[in-house]
Amino acid sequence: MLLKRYTGNLLLVILLFLMLAFFFLGDVFIPKAVDFSGYPMLHSVFVVFLGLFLESIPFLFLGAIASSFIQLFISEEIIQRMIPKRPLTAIFAAIGAALVIPVCECAIIPVVRKLIQKGVPVHAGVVLLVTAPILNVIVFGSTYYAFQNNPAILYGRIILCVLTAIIAGLFIHIFSTKDVVKEDKMELVHGHEHDIQSSKWTSFIEHTSQEFFMVGKYFIIGALFASVFQVFMDRTVMADIGQAPIKGTALMMGIAFVLSLCSSADAFVAASFSHSFLPGSLLGFLVFGPMLDLKNVLIMMSCFKRSFVVTYVLLVFAVVFSLCLIAGGLISKGGF
């Protein structure tokens, strides 16, 4: 058992070294090793995938670190004392916590999974999933810079995010069960071994690597699909329906889902559509994308039970779509 564990750790170290080499030297050696000259579209897919990969991997790693820290160093009693008993108070406490959690839409999923395992109510965890990718200084700054001539988009993004969190949190509190986390049998086995054979810091390193690679494999699949769609997407079709509020909002939410952009940079992509789409549609892109996209749905499927993921997807889509139509109408009348 010890030999198997140390062999696995050695392989993880080698893979981490290769990833670091890929990160710092990939732009130098990869073009020499792979000739894309005869396949320009394939080259574009590779470039987009590489951008998504390099942009998101540090945040996935931070999420794995946070998840491991919560697992090993924060007890259930501490977390339960921090969360208010009343549902509505717990929702607002989770919104406040999102302001200080420096993780993106991918990294927050394993963190929330671990918090729920530690005793955080499911509805409070849902609020964190909804708000953490949007309610932080980096996203606020990028949105302000991208839409500095249209402050309604900036404030609309924040307001709709908070409203979605409140509505979704209350719905989950009323209708969802507490048993939503997918059981990880390997985690139970390793957790028992760590208690017997390892120090907490050794366990921390091992747990972080396991969490990172578990989440990372789903992220890579999602990023690959997003890259293919982004390269082959026909923008002329979007321009034809961009001025229809319902169709435009649905289309922009679908684009945000498939493109799977990081919330710290998606405002600049949304700004490129500002001449073709209405404000409500742009808000659909900016609000829905960080809450739900292709890669983080795959990650959620690895962390939570399928019934919960389906409920969360349908709920967030319905709430965001409705709020964006209302907000779009208010902005067009100058009342937002």
Side-chain angles (χ1 to χ4, degrees):
M1 182 66 69
L2 285 174
L3 178 61
K4 181 179 179 181
R5 194 182 75 184
Y6 289 126
T7 302
N9 292 339
L10 178 61
L11 292 175
L12 290 175
V13 171
I14 294 173
L15 184 56
L16 179 60
F17 175 79
L18 292 175
M19 288 178 61
L20 290 174
F22 181 75
F23 182 88
F24 290 107
L25 303 174
D27 59 337
V28 176
F29 293 104
I30 290 177
K32 296 179 180 178
V34 182
D35 183 15
F36 288 111
S37 58
Y39 307 94
M41 300 298 284
L42 183 61
H43 177 263
S44 299
V45 170
F46 175 78
V47 170
V48 173
F49 172 80
L50 186 61
L52 284 173
F53 181 83
L54 297 181
E55 181 183 59
S56 301
I57 284 298
F59 296 101
L60 289 175
F61 189 63
L62 286 174
I65 292 175
S67 174
S68 300
F69 183 85
I70 292 169
Q71 169 69 15
L72 297 172
F73 295 98
I74 300 180
S75 66
E76 289 86 346
E77 293 77 12
I78 294 175
I79 292 176
Q80 290 171 359
R81 286 199 301 265
M82 294 171 60
I83 301 298
K85 300 297 182 183
R86 296 180 178 179
L88 192 60
T89 309
I91 287 174
F92 283 104
I95 293 174
L99 296 171
V100 296
I101 296 179
V103 294
C104 69
E105 60 270 23
C106 299
I108 192 62
I109 296 172
V111 173
V112 169
R113 171 176 173 264
K114 198 60 60 181
L115 287 172
I116 292 175
Q117 288 179 324
K118 289 286 187 177
V120 169
V122 176
H123 63 278
V126 166
V127 171
L128 282 173
L129 287 175
V130 168
T131 54
I134 296 177
L135 298 184
N136 61 71
V137 176
I138 297 175
V139 174
F140 182 88
S142 65
T143 309
Y144 171 79
Y145 189 81
F147 290 95
Q148 51 189 314
N149 296 324
N150 193 356
I153 299 296
L154 169 64
Y155 298 121
R157 186 180 199 184
I158 296 172
I159 293 171
L160 295 193
C161 173
V162 173
L163 290 177
T164 301
I166 295 172
I167 296 171
L170 290 174
F171 183 93
I172 292 296
H173 171 69
I174 296 171
F175 296 104
S176 181
T177 63
K178 295 181 179 180
D179 185 21
V180 300
V181 175
K182 182 180 291 185
E183 182 178 313
D184 189 346
K185 295 181 180 180
M186 290 302 295
E187 182 179 283
L188 297 176
V189 173
H190 286 302
H192 179 69
E193 289 180 355
H194 292 160
D195 292 338
I196 298 175
Q197 298 171 346
S198 305
S199 69
K200 274 199 171 183
W201 286 109
T202 302
S203 300
F204 175 78
I205 295 172
E206 293 180 358
H207 189 279
T208 299
S209 62
Q210 292 161 11
E211 190 84 22
F212 175 76
F213 288 109
M214 181 194 71
V215 173
K217 63 184 179 184
Y218 291 95
F219 164 78
I220 289 174
I221 296 172
L224 180 60
F225 279 106
S227 304
V228 172
F229 183 86
Q230 189 167 343
V231 170
F232 290 95
M233 180 175 57
D234 187 355
R235 299 198 174 212
T236 59
V237 175
M238 296 185 295
D240 293 337
I241 63 175
Q243 298 304 308
I246 295 178
K247 292 181 179 179
T249 301
L251 178 60
M252 287 299 285
M253 290 173 64
I255 292 171
F257 179 85
V258 177
L259 291 186
S260 302
L261 300 172
C262 182
S263 58
S264 62
D266 61 354
F268 299 100
V269 177
S272 68
F273 294 115
S274 59
H275 297 294
S276 303
F277 286 85
L278 298 172
S281 302
L282 298 177
L283 285 173
F285 183 92
L286 292 169
V287 176
F288 185 73
M291 297 178 187
L292 274 176
D293 61 37
L294 183 59
K295 64 181 186 300
N296 67 26
V297 167
L298 290 173
I299 295 172
M300 286 188 69
M301 293 295 290
S302 72
C303 296
F304 299 102
K305 293 184 176 180
R306 183 178 301 176
S307 59
F308 171 76
V309 176
V310 172
T311 301
Y312 177 83
V313 169
L314 295 176
L315 175 63
V316 170
F317 177 83
V319 173
V320 173
F321 185 73
S322 302
L323 290 177
C324 287
L325 291 179
I326 296 172
L330 292 174
I331 293 174
S332 65
K333 296 178 180 179
F336 196 75

